[in-house]
Amino acid sequence: MKDAVLTEIMMLRGLNKAISEACGLSTAAVSQWKRVPKKHVEKVSAVTGRSAAELRPDLFPNPENIEEAA
């Protein structure tokens, strides 16, 4: 199952193409992602305006959530 944030991004017109161009991949390859690969998070973040923590909270924890849990 695709990540909810990634699904939302892919539904926005033209973003799949913009992401694929930024990452040097085909649109078909990007559409197969279940979540943004770690090596592409920075580029996808730049294209979409979403933070790395939003795109991959498992890899980039949101500092606000860490403080609340402590």
Side-chain angles (χ1 to χ4, degrees), residues 18-41:
I19 291 168
S20 66
E21 288 174 353
C23 295
L25 301 169
S26 69
T27 55
V30 172
S31 68
Q32 292 179 18
W33 290 352
K34 293 186 189 232
R35 37 184 202 177
V36 179
K38 183 179 182 177
K39 67 182 181 178
H40 296 299
V41 170

Side-chain angles (χ1 to χ4, degrees), residues 5-70:
V5 173
L6 182 59
T7 300
E8 183 181 324
I9 290 169
M10 292 301 175
M11 294 186 74
L12 296 172
R13 186 178 187 118
L15 270 185
N16 188 317
K17 184 175 182 187
I19 291 168
S20 66
E21 288 174 353
C23 295
L25 301 169
S26 69
T27 55
V30 172
S31 68
Q32 292 179 18
W33 290 352
K34 293 186 189 232
R35 37 184 202 177
V36 179
K38 183 179 182 177
K39 67 182 181 178
H40 296 299
V41 170
E42 187 176 315
K43 291 176 185 171
V44 174
S45 178
V47 170
T48 63
R50 302 282 184 121
S51 69
E54 213 176 343
L55 295 171
R56 287 296 303 266
D58 58 323
L59 298 175
F60 305 94
N62 187 337
E64 293 173 8
N65 293 342
I66 293 172
E67 290 173 11
E68 289 174 8

